[in-house]
Amino acid sequence: MTARTSGGVPAAVLCGLGSWLPPAVVPNGELAERLGVTDAWIHQRSGVRSRRRADDGTATVAMAAEAGARALKSQGHGQVDAVLLATATPDRVTPPCAPEVAARLGLTGAAAVDLSAACSGFVYGLSIAAGCIAARTFERVLVIGAETMSAVVDPEDAVTAPIFGDGAAAAVVRAGDPGEPGALGPFVLGSDGGGAELIHIPRGGSRTRYRYTAEEPHAHVRMDGREVFRRALEHLDGALTRAVEKAGWTPAEVDRFAVHQANARISRSLAVRMNVPEERWLSNIAHVGNTSAASVPILLDHAVRDGALAAGERVAVAAFGAGLTWGATTLVWPELSVDA
């Protein structure tokens, strides 16, 4: 469907938002004894107190469809031209998840594709949606971040097991005017493949294949936490600063920073580096953990429902993840209808 906006290049405008979390809550105490640590140790190092876990019958497609349905409801109707699904934990290696999600939402025939940019996937998805809208290829795009991180986390690894959680969230963007509330500002995107092994799953791809033997180790995410922390600060600081500058703002003029919930210490350190009060940094990591590509949209949805984010506020959004990848953008928050 071609965008109906006339005149200049249409902007991608946020017009729908929704999230879904598995009902099972896993508190730190459930992990601490097995990992040989304490509840306080986990919270002090990461900011996480609990996370959600999908049961064995719930995978990424199911969660993505639930979140997508809520975002479609938020925009006021169920129609979009395309579905972009950011995930590092697809149900299967192939086929992609997005077409199945689209079918579950009654969108059979819509363009649908998976995106792989790990924790930065949702921001990359927004940028692709914005580009397609600017090119008048689509008028409305559903962008979803969904992760079943429990499927790839080693339950015995004290570095990753306490941090990651499961969940999904989605946003609808439509063609609109660059000056209206909800219009996504310029994007800042980047990558550094030299850090590919800092966050990775060693097995399962074409480089190191499964042999399906009893001796074959499971495919679990591995992370160099110290180096990831250092690089996340560097690249998030740079991306946020450039995105805010491109919007014509200063960091002091940003009302809310919505940054990927990788670790509470990252947000606190960014606040210091950018000389922005910590209370302007949205946070929900305490109760959901790091949900990878779903982190940013879950954070935004929760902030709206909790009253921490209001229409008219200037917002800077950013994420950093495996790859290494990072991205940022800005918007003035619009009026949205979301479930309480």
Side-chain angles (χ1 to χ4, degrees):
M1 181 184 298
T2 302
R4 291 190 295 269
T5 302
S6 60
V9 176
V13 179
L14 179 66
C15 64
L17 189 65
S19 68
W20 188 85
L21 297 176
V25 178
V26 180
N28 287 346
E30 189 172 316
L31 306 178
E33 184 175 355
R34 182 180 71 241
L35 295 172
V37 298
T38 65
D39 180 333
W41 183 87
I42 294 172
H43 182 253
Q44 181 179 15
R45 289 174 61 88
S46 66
V48 181
R49 293 191 181 276
S50 63
R51 71 288 295 146
R52 300 296 185 97
R53 180 181 295 161
D55 60 37
D56 290 342
T58 303
T60 297
V61 164
M63 292 194 294
E66 291 282 358
R70 285 162 171 74
L72 293 174
K73 180 181 178 182
S74 172
Q75 76 158 346
H77 61 84
Q79 294 304 308
V80 295
D81 308 311
V83 177
L84 304 181
L85 173 58
T87 186
T89 55
D91 287 22
R92 295 160 289 192
V93 174
T94 194
C97 295
E100 187 176 352
V101 173
R104 291 192 183 202
L105 295 172
L107 299 169
T108 300
V113 67
D114 288 4
L115 306 174
S116 181
C119 302
S120 304
F122 181 77
V123 175
Y124 267 74
L126 289 178
S127 73
I128 293 171
C132 289
I133 287 172
R136 302 180 185 272
T137 304
F138 304 125
E139 185 171 342
R140 288 179 183 263
V141 182
L142 176 63
V143 184
I144 307 173
E147 301 284 15
T148 314
M149 292 302 297
S150 59
V152 296
V153 168
D154 182 351
E156 306 300 325
D157 180 13
V159 175
T160 59
I163 296 174
F164 290 102
D166 300 337
V172 179
V173 291
R174 60 164 176 82
D177 187 88
E180 69 177 294
L184 299 176
F187 284 84
V188 173
L189 303 171
S191 73
D192 177 9
E197 294 193 358
L198 293 177
I199 315 171
H200 71 129
I201 297 175
R203 300 185 179 273
S206 61
R207 182 180 299 181
T208 310
R209 308 178 187 188
Y210 284 133
R211 293 193 297 272
Y212 300 103
T213 65
E215 293 76 25
E216 184 72 12
H218 292 295
H220 290 141
V221 65
R222 294 288 181 250
M223 182 172 69
D224 181 340
R226 186 182 300 274
E227 184 62 12
V228 167
F229 186 93
R230 185 186 73 79
R231 297 204 192 189
L233 282 181
E234 174 187 349
H235 294 303
L236 284 170
D237 184 357
L240 280 167
T241 298
R242 291 195 298 276
V244 169
E245 287 176 351
K246 286 187 172 186
W249 307 339
T250 66
E253 293 174 321
V254 177
D255 298 301
R256 295 289 182 266
F257 289 83
V259 176
H260 165 55
Q261 301 290 280
N263 188 306
R265 291 185 298 143
I266 290 177
S267 294
R268 289 196 294 268
S269 297
L270 279 171
V272 173
R273 286 173 68 117
M274 298 183 69
N275 195 28
V276 175
E278 191 175 332
E279 57 266 24
R280 295 189 190 177
W281 298 76
L282 300 174
S283 177
N284 67 345
I285 193 171
H287 304 298
V288 300
N290 178 347
T291 54
S292 188
S295 175
V296 167
I298 290 175
L299 176 64
L300 291 171
D301 185 61
H302 285 186
V304 173
R305 291 192 283 117
D306 295 342
L309 184 55
E313 291 185 318
R314 291 177 170 180
V315 182
V317 177
F320 173 90
L324 299 170
T325 59
W326 57 87
T329 190
T330 58
L331 72 160
V332 174
W333 198 255
E335 288 280 359
L336 288 179
S337 172
V338 297
D339 290 336

